[in-house]
Amino acid sequence: MALRAVGLAARLILAGVWIYAAATKLGKPLTSARSVQAYDIFPYDLAAIIGQALPIVELALGLLLLIGLFVRPVAIVSAVLLVVFIAGIASAWARGLRIDCGCFGGDGSLAWDREPAYLQEILRDLGFLALAAWLVVRPRTPVAVDNRLNGSGSTRAATTASPAGVGTGTTP
């Protein structure tokens, strides 16, 4: 029971993170694009496309986790995305860039009097990655649409009784 509660907490926290990240970027496509461009990894136009698509992907992941639909596949995509984010932050740090991650809004610029928070951002994302990993391994959580689709959490249809209990899942 406790493991299921941990799974539910992991699912809801990660859903909240994705939804919040998307909410800070939706409606600001140019700001989001500049945030990705600040990493100086992708060509300018590709970074703009990624920056504009990212909030939509984050919102979709968050909503799917919130309702508990396709939990394992969404957790896998989340984990991959978080690894990419961690690699991007580490790359910016290693190359001596002075940027804000842009993870929760912003255009990647850093005020002149602020220092980058790369270590904290990587540690935070590693925590989110741990939540995603938990859901990859244990995707079944309470109050999830997946439970209804898979039959758990609801009454399963009884199989037709047969002589000696054959086909009923019971022993005679």
Side-chain angles (χ1 to χ4, degrees):
M1 192 64 162
L3 293 179
R4 290 176 52 93
V6 170
L8 177 61
R11 195 184 92 219
L12 294 178
I13 290 168
L14 199 54
V17 166
W18 287 133
I19 291 169
Y20 178 72
T24 63
K25 297 172 194 155
L26 284 171
K28 303 176 199 168
L30 297 178
T31 302
S32 185
R34 281 193 296 270
S35 152
V36 176
Q37 291 162 343
Y39 284 87
D40 200 25
I41 295 174
F42 302 104
Y44 186 81
D45 291 339
L46 179 58
I49 292 168
I50 292 169
Q52 292 177 23
L54 191 56
I56 297 165
V57 171
E58 291 170 337
L59 183 61
L61 293 173
L63 292 175
L64 287 169
L65 285 171
L66 184 64
I67 64 171
L69 183 60
F70 308 124
V71 173
R72 179 174 281 142
V74 171
I76 291 169
V77 172
S78 295
V80 168
L81 199 54
L82 286 161
V83 167
V84 168
F85 291 167
I86 292 166
I89 295 166
S91 170
W93 192 4
R95 291 180 293 137
L97 297 179
R98 291 184 42 82
I99 62 172
D100 178 72
C101 76
C103 304
F104 299 102
D107 64 359
S109 62
L110 194 62
W112 67 271
D113 60 341
R114 284 193 47 219
E115 289 297 316
Y118 298 130
L119 179 59
Q120 295 90 331
E121 293 163 352
I122 289 171
L123 292 174
R124 177 202 61 215
D125 286 355
L126 285 171
F128 297 152
L129 181 58
L131 297 176
W134 179 276
L135 293 172
V136 169
V137 175
R138 300 186 63 89
R140 302 204 47 118
T141 60
V143 196
V145 171
D146 280 350
N147 296 342
R148 293 281 178 197
L149 297 176
N150 295 325
S152 70
S154 64
T155 324
R156 290 184 183 220
T159 57
T160 307
S162 62
V166 175
T168 63
T170 60
T171 54

